[in-house]
Amino acid sequence: MDMVFFSAFILYFTTLIGIGFYFYKRDQSAQAFMLGNRSVNYYVTAVATQASDMGSWLFIAFPAAVFVNGMFELWTAIGLVVGMFAAWTVIAPRLREKTAELDALTLSSYFAHVFHDRSGALQLVSSAFALYFFTFYIASGLVGLSLVFSAAFGISYHVGIVISIITAALYTLIGGFVAVAWCDFFQGLFLLAMIVLVPVVGFFEVGGLSAIMTAAQVQGISLSLLASPYETLSALFLAASWGLGYFGQPHILVNFMGIDEVANIKSARRIGILWQIMVLVAAAVIGLVGIAFFAGTLVDPQLIFIEMTLRLFHPFVAGLILCAIFAATLSTMDSLILVAGSTCAEDIYKPFLNSKASASTILFVSRFASIVISAIALALAWSSNTSIYNLVGYAWSGLGSTFGPLVVASIYLKRVSKNSALAGLIVGGVTAAVWPFFFTTLPLVPGFFSGLAAVAIGSKIGRY
């Protein structure tokens, strides 16, 4: 099994690195490396945007949540679809127009332009928050890949995460934005096929819907979306706790900024939302099928997709299918690594350390910073004992609470001062960062709305 897997592994990652080399000559300027000269077509943008969103959470954390908690967890998927549709509709067109008009390559530089901040405070503070939450997000991907290496192929946890971070960083640093977009496009198509295949085969293997319902009843797992008024409120809160995050995810919003034409966003939205619905439904069905497939014998719910694949398919096919986890994880990690490096170069090094830096210097700093952030994430994952669901939830909530209110304010609120924008940034980011130390719920809803309130109140006070 190991040799079969490594054959698929080598072929898969050779392809990714090959894409990086193909685009190497095209991404020799800082703008091309960070944003691809805003030249990516709509279908690549659609799939790359959605693929950069999911990560190992799609194959490991979400099916595990459905497997343990039942249909209630589908509210997470509902929230994600509604939130993503809203982001495509009300954020993407205006953000693409404004960032192009201001020649902003990152969200932090965009905030500095649109809120007329010449002090650099917005860039510095927003960059610090972004890099902090990025490390947790990248670490969650490393933990996810380590589960594949360890559970399926007998490779140690630490060797697995080292291989993973080197591969993700390598093809990202070689090719830049366009290479990442095309890699995410191919990975998105590949993981879509694999995540649909497994639950379809598993559904017929367990005996269909009746077997799932019987097993769920025996194990006391609810297959109802709603059961009481309290659970209805909890469901809506859960949906909002994920859906609102799309307004403030830099690694997702950067795809909106890099599309070739604003007019193509509608076409990208249709393709992207369809892709998202298909993969989320398939992931949820994996959790439901697993209730009957394992009948309470699975020790670690996070291994549901891996164990189901290994038991259902021939080793060669199983090895190929499990590469889909790498596709999902790396499609998120590469975007995060790229945006982290761009943030360091464009929002910290250039304005504060070397305002006259050449394009080649900025490009070098961006690549070097990407390596440093990757190393920090590796150190965090090295000794982490936190679940993927919690790591992703923390990072997702943090980014959404920090950047979401300012993205909305920059597009829809008038006369927002730099001080009120800074207040919203700090209030939203700090709320999300400290919330988990006191409460068990995701911090996105309180973080997002407290940040938005700080912006609105600060703007109102600033008029007098």
Side-chain angles (χ1 to χ4, degrees):
M1 178 62 186
D2 286 351
M3 292 304 298
V4 172
F5 166 71
F6 277 116
S7 298
F9 178 87
I10 292 171
L11 176 63
Y12 183 77
F13 286 107
T14 299
T15 301
L16 295 184
I17 294 172
I19 293 174
F21 275 111
Y22 176 79
F23 288 103
Y24 178 75
K25 294 295 184 181
R26 298 176 55 178
D27 285 356
Q28 291 304 297
S29 70
Q31 187 174 56
F33 181 80
M34 295 179 189
L35 213 55
N37 290 318
R38 306 181 198 273
S39 62
V40 181
N41 62 54
Y42 72 90
Y43 57 86
V44 172
T45 297
V47 178
T49 301
Q50 305 293 164
S52 65
D53 163 30
M54 293 299 163
S56 57
W57 176 92
L58 179 67
F59 285 89
I60 297 175
F62 183 50
V66 175
F67 176 75
V68 173
N69 300 319
M71 291 283 284
F72 181 81
E73 291 295 333
L74 286 181
W75 284 100
T76 297
I78 294 171
L80 289 173
V81 172
V82 173
M84 190 71 238
F85 182 85
W88 276 113
T89 304
V90 303
I91 299 297
R94 299 292 297 277
L95 186 65
R96 170 62 173 80
E97 289 176 348
K98 282 179 168 286
T99 54
E101 178 184 336
L102 298 171
D103 195 28
L105 302 181
T106 66
L107 274 183
S108 296
S109 61
Y110 164 66
F111 292 151
H113 285 300
V114 79
F115 296 122
H116 309 291
D117 177 27
R118 297 183 179 180
S119 68
L122 273 175
Q123 278 184 282
L124 186 62
V125 174
S126 61
S127 298
F129 275 115
L131 296 175
Y132 172 74
F133 289 115
F134 281 163
T135 57
F136 285 92
Y137 220 141
I138 297 172
S140 72
L142 295 177
V143 173
L145 293 183
S146 73
L147 289 175
V148 181
F149 282 118
S150 177
F153 312 112
I155 298 177
S156 73
Y157 175 91
H158 295 113
V159 172
I161 61 176
V162 169
I163 294 173
S164 302
I165 196 66
I166 289 175
T167 305
L170 183 59
Y171 77 78
T172 301
L173 299 181
I174 291 173
F177 183 86
V178 178
V180 167
W182 276 97
C183 282
D184 289 352
F185 172 71
F186 287 119
Q187 292 183 122
L189 296 180
F190 174 70
L191 74 86
L192 172 62
M194 297 301 102
I195 202 170
V196 170
L197 175 62
V198 173
V200 168
V201 174
F203 182 81
F204 290 105
E205 179 70 19
V206 300
L209 183 59
S210 60
I212 295 173
M213 295 177 66
T214 300
Q217 185 176 16
V218 171
Q219 298 172 49
I221 300 173
S222 173
L223 297 183
S224 173
L225 278 173
L226 299 173
S228 68
Y230 173 78
E231 289 186 346
T232 301
L233 292 175
S234 298
L236 294 175
F237 185 85
L238 180 62
S241 294
W242 289 98
L244 282 173
Y246 282 113
F247 289 5
Q249 304 298 318
H251 61 293
I252 295 174
L253 298 177
V254 72
N255 289 285
F256 298 157
M257 296 160 61
I259 194 171
D260 54 1
E261 299 288 344
V262 175
N264 289 334
I265 288 177
K266 288 185 178 179
S267 298
R269 180 184 65 194
R270 286 193 292 268
I271 296 173
I273 294 298
L274 177 62
W275 184 96
Q276 184 185 36
I277 292 173
M278 293 174 67
V279 299
L280 286 173
V281 169
V285 174
I286 290 170
L288 295 175
V289 169
I291 296 172
F293 189 88
F294 295 103
T297 62
L298 186 63
V299 177
D300 185 354
Q302 293 188 116
L303 300 178
I304 181 172
F305 180 82
I306 298 172
E307 291 292 340
M308 190 180 297
T309 298
L310 293 175
R311 298 186 191 187
L312 285 175
F313 297 93
H314 181 276
F316 177 79
V317 178
L320 184 63
I321 291 173
L322 290 179
C323 281
I325 301 180
F326 291 99
T329 306
L330 292 176
S331 61
T332 298
M333 287 173 57
D334 56 16
S335 299
L336 291 165
I337 291 170
L338 179 69
V339 175
S342 301
T343 296
C344 289
E346 189 72 12
D347 301 314
I348 297 177
Y349 179 80
K350 185 177 180 179
F352 295 102
L353 299 178
N354 188 358
S355 61
K356 298 181 180 180
S358 64
S360 60
T361 300
I362 294 298
L363 181 60
F364 171 79
V365 172
S366 180
R367 285 175 164 149
F368 179 77
S370 296
I371 295 174
V372 173
I373 296 300
S374 299
I376 295 173
L378 176 65
L380 181 63
W382 194 267
S383 57
S384 176
N385 57 3
T386 306
S387 71
I388 295 171
Y389 190 94
N390 288 335
L391 283 171
V392 172
Y394 184 70
W396 179 268
S397 298
L399 293 171
S401 299
T402 303
F403 292 100
L406 262 65
V407 170
V408 173
S410 71
I411 295 175
Y412 293 104
L413 297 183
K414 296 181 179 180
R415 293 190 291 272
V416 176
S417 69
K418 64 179 181 181
N419 290 332
S420 59
L422 186 61
L425 189 76
I426 294 174
V427 169
V430 170
T431 300
V434 304
W435 184 271
F437 294 99
F438 302 97
F439 306 98
T440 58
T441 56
L442 288 174
L444 181 55
V445 172
F448 182 92
F449 284 106
S450 64
L452 193 60
V455 173
I457 293 172
S459 298
K460 184 71 173 179
I461 294 174
R463 295 182 187 179
Y464 301 100

